[in-house]
């Protein structure tokens, strides 16, 4: 799909009704429907423009919401300081934060483009039915996806399903959540009817467009979020249990985080990036900025100038990864050693695995650990050099400022060809996510054997032992106990999907375990951090939603802010 940007300029330059700067700028002269929405090229251009407005800073920053969890660190005095817990009410993201503003605006830009398409697609034109149907399906998908994102991050938001052509039309209060959910279900259902299978796109320049499977996967995910388990099961059965399903797991876990693994057999929906497209942030730097945000410092020689290291996995997160035989590993903080640029955190490690060596704590571990977390002298360095053609790459514990670690996923070195930017797409949903959501659905429907088989399928890809075997090794019944199996499913999602698209934070919030996890983790003296202030560590569920952006509150007085902000 990266080639679709060759005709993107048409859609963006035309600036359809509210499509370019919805809620912030209003068109002085509008392109009339009598002169557009006439040909296949017109419809394809508008669809491409709709996809394009979903890229940029919000998508590149989105995975970093995992920093809200105990699984990634920011120090109280350094990093970007957006999500750190030292202010007492995680995340207490400022309503003026650029991420919340751009995320809100980009979602509404996509919605505005979709509304334009759906308002005009059935009018008299010379476009082919196949292109019209596909474009309508894409518009329903983007609108459904955008509202799903908005309601998950912000709660109730204004609902628009028609083009907005005047300032007064966008002055609307927040819509009841039930009405928004109903609209998302309708849009994703229509997209499911209108869009083709991804199989028709594979091997073509259209690979990367929304497909029937993408619509169905997001619909199933919505049902999971809404705890509509029977509805979710119906969608998952069609997606996963079909005789010839559209998707499968990528044989090599690490492959999907490299450019040549984009839009692969496991991919369900990705935000598409293109080396020829300048970013909205700075036209001198093409492509995706996420790598710049999470790269370790220049001394690592992973990219051109080093990155910000904004998201640094904690040792607590690493403890989730069992030994290859299925034994638990635990770490206990001992001390810090002064170093530059950051301190080295010293831990004692223990495991009941007879092959475990405490001075080599990351050896014989679940392979996903080395493909998710950089640690000192990781063997992934050699694989990284082989894939990039670079040399003298390293990772040392001191490269991290708030832990001994940085994130591996999406780090593709100098393959971007300029500065610290990346040609990588951002993976919003992949098949492993679907399998684990299906497993969760089965647990809630009391079909534990089916749930276990789905979890085992994900683990088998990296040659990890089955849930049954892990239970035997650890001396507890996991597979046959609903509560324990649900806990294990949660941990499996953290291991499989960590630091990709905010899955860990969003999961912990919807399971209502985030606050308990934060309170358990952030205790005085944690990993040698200075004593917290009196107002710190007073975590509340207000952090489950982000604040409505300050600019939107100013321009639309009918909006009311979320509690706690």
């Amino acid at each position: 799909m990266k080639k679709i940007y060759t005709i993107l300029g048409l859609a963006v330059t035309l600036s359809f009704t509210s499509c370019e700067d919805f809620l912030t700028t209003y068109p002085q002269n509008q392109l009339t429907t009598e002169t557009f929405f006439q040909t296949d090229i017109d419809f394809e251009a508008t669809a491409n423009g709709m996809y394009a407005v979903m890229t940029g800073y919000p998508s590149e920053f989105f995975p970093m919401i995992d920093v809200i969890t105990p699984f990634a660190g920011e120090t109280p005095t350094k990093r970007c300081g957006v999500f750190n817990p030292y202010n007492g009410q995680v995340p207490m993201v400022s309503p003026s934060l650029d991420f919340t503003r751009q995320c809100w605006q980009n979602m509404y830009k996509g919605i505005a483009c979709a509304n334009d398409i759906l308002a005009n697609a059935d009018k008299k034109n010379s476009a082919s039915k196949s292109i019209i149907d596909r474009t309508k399906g894409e518009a329903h998908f983007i609108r459904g996806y955008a509202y799903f994102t908005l309601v998950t991050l912000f709660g109730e938001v204004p609902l628009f399903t028609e083009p907005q052509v005047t300032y007064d039309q966008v002055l609307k209060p927040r819509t009841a959540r039930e009405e928004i959910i109903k609209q998302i279900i309708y849009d994703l259902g229509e997209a499911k009817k209108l869009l083709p299978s991804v199989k028709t796109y594979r091997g073509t320049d259209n690979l990367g467009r929304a497909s029937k499977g993408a619509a169905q996967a997001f619909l199933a995910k919505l049902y999971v979020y809404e705890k509509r388990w029977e509805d979710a099961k119906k969608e998952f059965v069609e997606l996963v249990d079909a005789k010839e399903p559209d998707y499968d797991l990528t044989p090599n876990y690490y492959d999907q985080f490299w450019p040549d693994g984009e839009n692969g057999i496991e991919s369900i929906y990705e935000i598409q990036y293109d080396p020829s497209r300048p970013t909205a942030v700075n036209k001198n730097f093409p492509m995706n900025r996420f790598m710049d945000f999470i790269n370790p410092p220049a001394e690592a020689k992973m990219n051109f100038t080093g990155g910000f290291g904004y998201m640094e996995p904690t040792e607590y997160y690493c403890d989730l990864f069992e030994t290859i035989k299925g034994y638990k590993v635990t770490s206990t903080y001992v001390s810090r050693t002064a170093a530059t640029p950051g301190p080295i955190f010293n831990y004692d490690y223990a495991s009941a695995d007879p092959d475990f060596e405490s001075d080599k704590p990351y050896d014989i571990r679940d392979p996903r650990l080395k493909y998710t977390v950089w640690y000192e002298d990781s063997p992934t360095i050699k694989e990284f050099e082989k894939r990039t053609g670079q040399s003298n790459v390293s990772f040392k514990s001191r490269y991290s400022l708030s832990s001994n670690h940085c994130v591996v996923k999406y780090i593709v070195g100098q393959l971007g060809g300029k500065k610290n930017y990346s040609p990588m797409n951002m993976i919003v949903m992949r098949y492993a996510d679907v399998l684990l959501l299906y497993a969760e659905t089965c647990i809630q429907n009391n079909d534990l054997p089916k749930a276990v088989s789905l979890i085992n399928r994900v683990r088998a890809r990296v040659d990890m032992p089955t849930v049954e075997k892990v239970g035997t090794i650890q001396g507890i019944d996991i597979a046959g106990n609903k509560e324990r199996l649900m806990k294990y499913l949660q941990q499996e999602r953290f291991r499989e999907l960590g630091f990709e698209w905010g899955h860990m934070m969003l999961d912990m919030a919807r399971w209502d375990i985030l606050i308990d996890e934060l309170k358990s983790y952030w205790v005085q003296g944690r990993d040698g951090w200075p004593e917290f202030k009196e107002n710190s560590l007073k975590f509340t569920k207000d952090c489950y939603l982000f604040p409505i952006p300050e600019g939107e509150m100013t321009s639309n007085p009918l909006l009311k802010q979320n509690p706690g902000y």
Side-chain angles (χ1 to χ4, degrees):
M1 186 182 172
K2 296 201 171 190
K3 292 185 180 179
I4 70 171
Y5 289 107
T6 58
I7 55 173
L8 168 61
L10 174 63
V12 174
T13 302
L14 291 171
S15 297
F16 288 39
T17 309
S18 309
C19 183
E20 177 64 8
D21 277 306
F22 186 67
L23 296 182
T24 54
T25 60
Y26 305 91
Q28 299 300 309
N29 55 5
Q30 300 166 28
L31 185 70
T32 66
T33 57
E34 287 75 18
T35 58
F36 206 73
F37 291 109
Q38 295 298 310
T39 67
D40 284 1
I41 292 177
D42 295 343
F43 279 95
E44 288 185 325
T46 56
N48 295 346
M50 181 173 58
Y51 284 111
V53 298
M54 308 300 282
T55 64
Y57 182 67
S59 297
E60 295 150 17
F61 200 87
F62 200 98
M64 285 191 285
I65 65 175
D66 278 344
V67 175
I68 296 171
T69 74
F71 296 144
E74 281 190 308
T75 72
T77 57
K78 297 180 180 179
R79 333 300 319 128
C80 56
V82 173
F83 299 124
N84 74 67
Y86 296 84
N87 54 23
Q89 290 182 308
V90 169
M92 290 309 294
V93 174
S94 168
S96 62
L97 179 66
D98 208 32
F99 164 68
T100 57
R101 176 185 66 81
Q102 290 198 38
C103 184
W104 176 286
Q105 291 180 357
N106 278 27
M107 291 301 123
Y108 272 114
K109 287 177 184 179
I111 290 165
C113 291
N115 287 343
D116 280 323
I117 290 169
L118 294 172
N120 292 288
D122 292 330
K123 294 179 180 179
K124 185 177 180 180
N125 60 68
S126 60
S128 63
K129 184 178 184 303
S130 62
I131 292 296
I132 292 174
D133 285 349
R134 187 186 76 186
T135 305
K136 288 170 60 178
E138 290 172 317
H140 280 295
F141 174 83
I142 290 295
R143 190 166 70 182
Y145 164 74
Y147 276 124
F148 190 178
T149 301
L150 286 168
V151 79
T152 300
L153 292 182
F154 300 103
E156 295 179 346
V157 296
L159 178 66
F160 301 94
T161 57
E162 299 290 337
Q164 311 302 306
V165 297
T166 68
Y167 179 82
D168 289 342
Q169 286 179 321
V170 300
L171 297 181
K172 188 174 183 178
R174 300 170 73 164
T175 303
R177 189 177 187 281
E178 295 76 12
E179 188 175 344
I180 300 171
I181 297 301
K182 184 178 179 181
Q183 182 63 44
I184 298 169
I185 292 171
Y186 169 75
D187 277 326
L188 294 177
E190 288 299 297
K192 178 183 167 183
K193 294 175 188 175
L194 291 165
L195 291 173
S197 164
V198 68
K199 291 179 179 179
T200 66
Y201 291 153
R202 291 191 179 125
T204 76
D205 290 342
N206 285 318
L207 183 61
R209 290 185 177 277
S211 65
K212 175 182 178 179
Q216 192 162 23
F218 277 99
L219 180 57
K221 186 168 188 173
L222 177 69
Y223 286 141
V224 169
Y225 273 50
E226 294 300 298
K227 297 180 171 61
R228 292 173 55 169
W229 305 114
E230 287 300 326
D231 290 327
K233 177 183 176 180
K234 179 178 179 294
E235 303 301 330
F236 285 130
V237 166
E238 291 182 17
L239 265 172
V240 177
D241 297 335
K243 185 177 181 180
E244 296 181 358
D246 286 357
Y247 306 97
D248 201 351
L249 296 175
T250 301
N252 185 326
Y253 179 81
Y254 195 30
D255 282 351
Q256 58 202 320
F257 304 107
W258 289 87
D260 57 5
E262 292 177 336
N263 300 315
I265 191 69
E266 186 166 346
S267 172
I268 292 178
Y269 185 63
E270 301 181 9
I271 302 296
Q272 305 290 315
Y273 281 85
D274 181 59
S276 67
R277 183 188 65 82
T279 67
V281 177
N282 188 323
K283 294 185 181 300
N284 293 322
F285 304 135
M287 302 172 289
N288 182 345
R289 286 196 67 191
F290 181 61
M291 188 172 76
D292 193 31
F293 294 144
I294 64 171
N295 253 313
E299 189 177 352
K301 296 185 178 179
M302 288 187 187
N303 63 356
F304 292 93
T305 61
F308 296 104
Y310 280 165
M311 185 164 63
E312 298 177 337
T314 59
E315 205 65 36
Y316 183 68
Y317 176 70
C318 296
D319 286 352
L320 290 172
F321 294 82
E322 303 147 333
T323 70
I324 57 175
K325 290 183 177 179
Y327 289 90
K328 290 183 178 181
V329 177
T330 58
S331 62
T332 303
Y333 173 75
V334 176
S335 64
R336 293 190 188 190
T337 301
T340 302
I344 297 172
F345 296 79
N346 303 305
Y347 298 90
D348 283 337
Y349 299 91
S351 175
D353 191 324
D355 296 328
F356 182 80
E357 299 179 48
S358 60
D359 60 339
K360 299 177 181 178
Y362 308 117
D363 288 1
I364 65 165
R365 299 283 285 276
D366 182 331
R368 291 171 294 187
L369 175 59
K370 68 181 179 181
Y371 294 139
T372 303
V373 176
W374 288 119
Y375 51 85
E376 181 130 355
D377 298 329
S378 166
T380 307
I381 292 291
K382 294 299 181 184
E383 188 167 352
F384 176 91
E385 290 181 330
K386 182 178 180 180
R387 288 175 182 261
T388 62
Q390 296 170 222
S391 59
N392 300 316
V393 175
S394 66
F395 187 85
K396 303 297 180 183
S397 298
R398 62 184 175 81
Y399 292 170
S400 168
L401 291 178
S402 61
S403 70
N404 291 336
H405 309 292
C406 287
V407 174
V408 172
K409 292 176 179 176
Y410 296 114
I411 301 293
V412 297
Q414 299 180 10
L415 293 182
K418 182 182 290 187
K419 296 295 181 182
N420 299 330
Y421 288 60
S422 167
M424 278 296 299
N425 293 343
M426 300 300 294
I427 303 170
V428 182
M429 184 180 286
R430 55 187 178 89
Y431 196 51
D433 187 4
V434 165
L435 293 176
L436 294 174
L437 288 170
Y438 188 9
E440 181 179 348
T441 301
C442 292
I443 292 171
Q444 299 302 327
N445 286 333
N446 296 307
D447 187 355
L448 302 193
K450 178 67 173 180
V452 168
S453 71
L454 291 162
I455 299 171
N456 286 343
R457 183 176 174 186
V458 173
R459 291 174 62 81
R461 191 239 303 263
V462 289
D463 295 321
M464 286 299 291
T466 64
V467 175
E468 298 93 333
K469 188 170 183 180
V470 171
T472 299
I473 289 169
Q474 297 182 7
I476 54 174
D477 178 15
I478 299 174
N481 181 285
K482 184 176 181 178
E483 182 177 348
R484 291 194 195 106
L485 185 59
M486 184 62 195
K487 178 69 173 178
Y488 199 77
L489 178 279
Q490 292 172 347
Q491 295 172 345
E492 191 64 21
R493 285 186 62 81
F494 299 152
R495 286 186 285 261
E496 176 69 25
L497 303 169
F499 310 113
E500 292 181 29
W501 193 252
H503 298 293
M504 295 193 292
M505 184 272 170
L506 298 177
D507 280 347
M508 294 175 85
R510 70 182 177 89
W511 291 325
D512 194 19
I513 64 173
L514 179 57
I515 296 304
D516 289 342
E517 285 281 338
L518 288 168
K519 288 180 177 179
S520 175
Y521 182 80
W522 285 112
V523 297
Q524 292 287 6
R526 181 80 202 195
D527 289 357
W529 289 113
E531 186 174 343
F532 300 120
K533 297 179 181 178
E534 289 183 4
N535 69 337
S536 294
L537 310 180
K538 297 177 182 178
F539 305 126
T540 73
K541 293 183 182 180
D542 291 345
C543 76
Y544 288 3
L545 294 177
F546 280 25
I548 303 299
E550 186 175 73
E552 303 304 327
M553 296 289 296
T554 301
S555 61
N556 183 359
L558 298 181
L559 292 176
K560 295 187 181 300
Q561 188 56 274
N562 282 326
Y565 295 97

CSV table of all heavy atoms in Angstrom, one decimal, residues 142 166 244 250 515:
chain,number,residue,atom,x,y,z
A,142,ILE,N,-12.5,3.2,8.8
A,142,ILE,CA,-11.7,4.3,9.5
A,142,ILE,C,-12.6,5.0,10.5
A,142,ILE,O,-12.1,5.3,11.6
A,142,ILE,CB,-11.2,5.2,8.4
A,142,ILE,CG1,-10.1,4.6,7.6
A,142,ILE,CG2,-10.7,6.5,9.1
A,142,ILE,CD1,-8.8,4.2,8.3
A,166,THR,N,-20.0,24.2,8.8
A,166,THR,CA,-20.0,25.4,9.5
A,166,THR,C,-19.4,25.3,10.9
A,166,THR,O,-19.4,24.2,11.4
A,166,THR,CB,-21.4,26.1,9.6
A,166,THR,OG1,-22.2,25.3,10.5
A,166,THR,CG2,-22.1,26.1,8.2
A,244,GLU,N,-10.1,-22.1,6.0
A,244,GLU,CA,-8.9,-21.5,5.4
A,244,GLU,C,-8.8,-20.1,5.9
A,244,GLU,O,-9.2,-19.2,5.1
A,244,GLU,CB,-8.9,-21.6,3.9
A,244,GLU,CG,-8.8,-23.0,3.3
A,244,GLU,CD,-8.8,-23.1,1.8
A,244,GLU,OE1,-8.9,-22.0,1.2
A,244,GLU,OE2,-8.7,-24.2,1.3
A,250,THR,N,3.3,-15.3,12.0
A,250,THR,CA,4.6,-15.2,11.3
A,250,THR,C,5.6,-16.2,12.0
A,250,THR,O,5.7,-16.2,13.2
A,250,THR,CB,5.2,-13.8,11.5
A,250,THR,OG1,4.3,-12.8,10.9
A,250,THR,CG2,6.6,-13.7,10.8
A,515,ILE,N,-4.5,0.3,38.7
A,515,ILE,CA,-4.3,1.0,39.9
A,515,ILE,C,-3.6,0.1,40.9
A,515,ILE,O,-2.7,0.4,41.6
A,515,ILE,CB,-5.6,1.6,40.5
A,515,ILE,CG1,-6.1,2.7,39.5
A,515,ILE,CG2,-5.3,2.2,41.8
A,515,ILE,CD1,-5.1,3.8,39.2
